[in-house]
Amino acid sequence: MSERFTKGMARNIYYGGGMFFMLLFIGLTVDTVVAIPERENRDMLTAEVEHGKELWEKNNCVGCHSLLGEGAYFAPELGNVFDRRGMGNEEAFHAYFSAWMKAQPIGVPGRRKMPQFNLTDEEHRALSEFLIWTSRIDTNEWPPNKEG
Amino acid sequence: MKYASQSVAKPYFAFAMILFVGQIVFGLILGTQYIIGDFMFPEIPFNVARMVHTNLLIVWLLFGFMGATYFLLPEETQCELHSPLLAKILFWVFAAAGTLTIIGYLAVPYATLAELTGNKYFPTMGREFLEQPTITKIGLALVFIGFLFNVIMTVLKGRKTVVSMVLTTGLIGLAAFWMFAFYNPASLVMDKYFWWWVVHLWVEGVWELILGAILAFILIRTTGVDREVVEKWLYLIIAMALISGILGTGHHFFFIGAPEYWLWIGSIFSAIEPLPFFMMMVFAFSMLKQRRRDHPNKAAVTWAVGCTIMAFLGAGVWGFLHTLAPVNYYTHGTQLTAAHGHLAFYGAYVMIVLAIISYAWPILHGRQANSLQSQRLEIASCWTMSISMLLITLLLTAAGVVQIWLQRIPDDAGALGFMATQDAITVIYWMRLAAGVSFGIGVFMYLASFVVAARTSEPTEPLLAEGAMS
């Protein structure tokens, strides 16, 4: 590197650049936090949906599945599972979801296994409410198709 | 070893390597489960094995960073550590917390662990990489704070070099961003948004400062190049890391409910993220070219230079591959993400920790470098691990491409379902498992090199000469 570019200049770029972009990031974060309620329909975030999220976490669902593309890639994406399996009908989805959960683990040898979590019907309902709510988040039109 | 307190790094390095072995064992279990879906079910379900695999990685890298800090700080500040006792106590606290957490994952169902640790009173569990019980998270925060106290007290009383200042800033950032692990709101979008403040701002932010500082330290020691030159490079590299990496966080905000402008900001800034890694590679090669001494520890130099190449490939090239929003729209959450994750973590962080262990371990045992036999084996292990990881990455990339082709690109009517797509990739997963086994052999060779070093401990040069050269 040329002699005219000194260590002091490099240091200033580091501290100045780091600070500037961190502040900009914080500013954009404030704007994002303000925009999120509308994009995620916070008015529809009921206590049941909240309970569903707790169950999602307590059973480490993200350890196999992805949710809005984040998580593990061992099992299907669930951010849009309501669109994929519920066909837009909430009651049909609740029934489907509960039956699916009760049927685990499916006894096909060699197939990837989902454990039996022994949840109650109310818990199944809360979890599926959480997944329905999640499917309505404005994700900039992701995923590309219903298979997730 | 110039300072007696440097020896507290030993247990940190040793424990890091034990956890590394555990990580690889669970990696092989996961690789098998991708092919034989019910392998080890229900004893070790996939989610448990994955938690163990990723958490072990994070924890052993943290042990490595801490060991590296305790080793290099006395030399940089030219004074003993503030409190070697605190360092020893924190080692046992961290090791116990880590071990108990892993045992918890394996011994009981995750929901039971959540109940046993009172997750409902302060729920933070069940999020990717942040699966640890809240009590473990608090313990980790306390370990970080105690560790930082020790580091800052040492830096304050001693010589303030750029390496030690950059390292300290990185470690402060590490502790600060960890605090976001405790934020878990009911809103999934808010949760995800600030989850990245831990995950991204660690690995594509402050960890790069730690990486840069350790790399600079090793290059100063092994090449004898003037500090001024190294420090100027270090500042520029980490400046670019922050300038690109902070707003680069936006590449995670594309599809999780954040506003549309992140599609632009994330794409543009993360497209610059390969630059600091490219500079790191140029830096390492240019220091080697200008070297004023031939350090007898060739293995450490191999790891350090290899680190810059593999980090550039893994974090830089494979990151760029899928970072632009229109591409990420199709690749998001596929095996391509896994491909990038593996090579980036291995290249940037695994290799830098192995590099500093390689440099420090002989010195901590009273010799400047290991015997030639031992070094030959260690360098062979570096090549074995690196080529295997490159193969794993290429195979996961192939798996990702097939997955995108079958499952993502077609429309609703034509797209293949997730499980059917996975079946179509089975052959590639077999090859990936084979590459994983070969990586395991590399790890075994690496460990064997320590045994060879202990048995053939004729120092290539007396350590006394080291003081005269640095």
Side-chain angles (χ1 to χ4, degrees):
Chain A
M1 268 180 285
S2 91
E3 292 303 312
R4 295 180 58 189
F5 185 78
T6 63
K7 190 173 96 183
M9 291 155 91
R11 185 188 58 214
N12 293 344
I13 297 177
Y14 165 58
Y15 283 113
M19 295 276 237
F20 175 78
F21 282 100
M22 196 61 212
L23 287 174
L24 191 56
F25 186 56
I26 291 170
L28 286 164
T29 295
V30 171
D31 186 78
T32 299
V33 167
V34 171
I36 286 174
E38 200 188 318
R39 296 179 61 91
E40 68 171 10
N41 309 304
R42 193 163 295 166
D43 51 326
M44 285 154 71
L45 204 172
T46 59
E48 199 172 25
V49 171
E50 191 176 341
H51 184 46
K53 180 169 181 281
E54 282 162 22
L55 290 164
W56 168 268
E57 288 163 1
K58 192 180 165 190
N59 292 286
N60 194 29
C61 306
V62 83
C64 292
H65 293 275
S66 59
L67 191 64
L68 305 186
E70 294 172 358
Y73 319 123
F74 189 67
E77 160 69 29
L78 296 183
N80 67 337
V81 70
F82 172 60
D83 305 321
R84 184 164 62 245
R85 301 286 182 224
M87 316 289 173
N89 182 331
E90 292 192 26
E91 281 316 309
F93 183 68
H94 286 306
Y96 168 85
F97 183 80
S98 194
W100 175 260
M101 293 293 286
K102 284 175 186 164
Q104 305 305 318
I106 296 172
V108 181
R111 189 183 191 274
R112 295 182 188 179
K113 289 281 183 287
M114 176 155 147
Q116 174 52 250
F117 293 103
N118 299 309
L119 302 181
T120 63
D121 285 339
E122 288 71 37
E123 288 173 326
H124 286 156
R125 200 171 170 94
L127 253 176
S128 51
E129 278 293 323
F130 169 64
L131 292 172
I132 292 169
W133 177 83
T134 302
S135 74
R136 292 176 176 148
I137 294 171
D138 182 350
T139 54
N140 295 327
E141 282 156 52
W142 193 87
N145 62 46
K146 72 174 166 64
E147 296 302 342
Chain B
M1 196 167 64
K2 280 194 240 161
Y3 299 89
S5 57
Q6 283 179 290
S7 67
V8 297
K10 259 194 233 178
Y12 282 87
F13 289 152
F15 199 62
M17 284 185 277
I18 294 171
L19 298 184
F20 181 32
V21 174
Q23 188 211 345
I24 302 314
V25 169
F26 279 87
L28 292 172
I29 293 175
L30 293 166
T32 311
Q33 288 177 331
Y34 257 97
I35 305 158
I36 305 162
D38 53 1
F39 180 66
M40 297 194 90
F41 186 88
E43 285 74 28
I44 305 181
F46 180 89
N47 71 310
V48 172
R50 185 179 193 265
M51 244 181 342
V52 175
H53 179 66
T54 56
N55 284 216
L56 280 177
L57 168 68
I58 299 164
V59 170
W60 85 257
L61 291 178
L62 291 173
F63 269 103
F65 289 164
M66 289 179 180
T69 307
Y70 288 137
F71 178 81
L72 68 79
L73 215 50
E75 285 193 22
E76 285 294 301
T77 58
Q78 296 183 335
C79 61
E80 296 286 355
L81 278 179
H82 174 69
S83 170
L85 178 67
L86 179 61
K88 280 181 203 158
I89 293 171
L90 290 176
F91 169 78
W92 287 107
V93 174
F94 192 12
T99 310
L100 284 174
T101 303
I102 300 293
I103 291 174
Y105 290 163
L106 291 167
V108 293
Y110 190 74
T112 312
L113 184 65
E115 270 161 30
L116 288 175
T117 57
N119 188 56
K120 65 179 172 194
Y121 302 108
F122 188 171
T124 66
M125 291 173 74
R127 295 170 301 151
E128 193 186 8
F129 311 132
L130 302 183
E131 296 94 347
Q132 313 81 29
T134 304
I135 181 118
T136 304
K137 289 197 182 84
I138 296 172
L140 254 173
L142 294 176
V143 168
F144 288 154
I145 291 167
F147 168 69
L148 267 183
F149 170 75
N150 217 352
V151 168
I152 291 171
M153 293 305 281
T154 311
V155 169
L156 285 180
K157 72 175 175 182
R159 181 177 66 147
K160 288 152 196 71
T161 65
V162 175
V163 169
S164 62
M165 295 309 283
V166 169
L167 181 65
T168 310
T169 338
L171 295 170
I172 292 173
L174 186 150
F177 289 121
W178 175 247
M179 298 306 153
F180 286 94
F182 295 99
Y183 177 66
N184 182 18
S187 151
L188 180 71
V189 180
M190 290 285 282
D191 176 7
K192 282 176 175 290
Y193 187 89
F194 287 100
W195 179 84
W196 284 112
W197 282 53
V198 189
V199 178
H200 177 97
L201 292 179
W202 264 20
V203 300
E204 291 168 68
V206 290
W207 281 28
E208 285 186 44
L209 308 192
I210 299 168
L211 159 64
I214 299 174
L215 180 68
F217 174 80
I218 296 173
L219 289 174
I220 290 172
R221 293 290 158 184
T222 54
T223 65
V225 170
D226 190 31
R227 225 170 232 287
E228 282 293 307
V229 182
V230 172
E231 289 171 345
K232 191 155 63 171
W233 270 101
L234 178 58
Y235 269 136
L236 264 188
I237 289 167
I238 59 174
M240 283 322 296
L242 293 189
I243 289 169
S244 63
I246 294 174
L247 288 188
T249 319
H251 63 195
H252 303 292
F253 299 156
F254 294 163
F255 312 118
I256 61 164
E260 229 167 302
Y261 54 72
W262 287 112
L263 297 174
W264 287 96
I265 299 171
S267 298
I268 292 166
F269 282 89
S270 64
I272 314 171
E273 279 190 57
L275 189 61
F277 287 102
F278 184 73
M279 287 163 70
M280 239 180 253
M281 200 166 61
V282 177
F283 167 52
F285 279 102
S286 119
M287 292 307 100
L288 271 192
K289 218 173 138 192
Q290 299 173 42
R291 71 178 179 275
R292 293 184 185 164
R293 62 182 293 200
D294 269 315
H295 196 279
N297 194 341
K298 300 276 177 270
V301 177
T302 308
W303 281 115
V305 174
C307 165
T308 65
I309 300 170
M310 300 300 273
F312 172 66
L313 286 176
V317 176
W318 256 267
F320 181 75
L321 213 59
H322 59 148
T323 204
L324 300 175
V327 177
N328 197 255
Y329 182 68
Y330 293 101
T331 64
H332 181 49
T334 62
Q335 292 299 321
L336 201 67
T337 319
H340 160 61
H342 279 82
L343 195 60
F345 259 102
Y346 171 74
Y349 299 120
V350 170
M351 288 185 85
I352 198 62
V353 171
L354 296 186
I356 187 72
I357 292 177
S358 177
Y359 175 76
W361 195 262
I363 295 173
L364 288 167
H365 289 81
R367 50 184 188 268
Q368 203 180 1
N370 286 331
S371 66
L372 281 177
Q373 289 118 294
S374 163
Q375 286 198 43
R376 253 182 244 125
L377 186 55
E378 193 182 339
I379 291 170
S381 83
C382 175
W383 280 94
T384 309
M385 280 191 240
S386 300
I387 291 171
S388 308
M389 189 50 84
L390 209 51
L391 278 173
I392 290 175
T393 306
L394 287 167
L395 289 163
L396 286 178
T397 305
V401 169
V402 175
Q403 188 182 7
I404 292 158
W405 189 260
L406 296 177
Q407 186 194 323
R408 285 281 170 83
I409 292 181
D411 59 11
D412 273 354
L416 202 57
F418 177 90
M419 295 301 277
T421 304
Q422 292 298 305
D423 284 341
I425 307 173
T426 305
V427 178
I428 302 178
Y429 286 146
W430 272 115
M431 293 191 274
R432 188 270 295 263
L433 182 59
V437 170
S438 148
F439 189 92
I441 293 169
V443 177
F444 181 76
M445 289 162 68
Y446 176 71
L447 295 178
S449 79
F450 286 85
V451 179
V452 174
R455 287 199 187 146
T456 54
S457 59
E458 77 273 26
T460 38
E461 245 181 277
L463 190 56
L464 284 173
E466 216 250 347
M469 272 184 274
S470 60

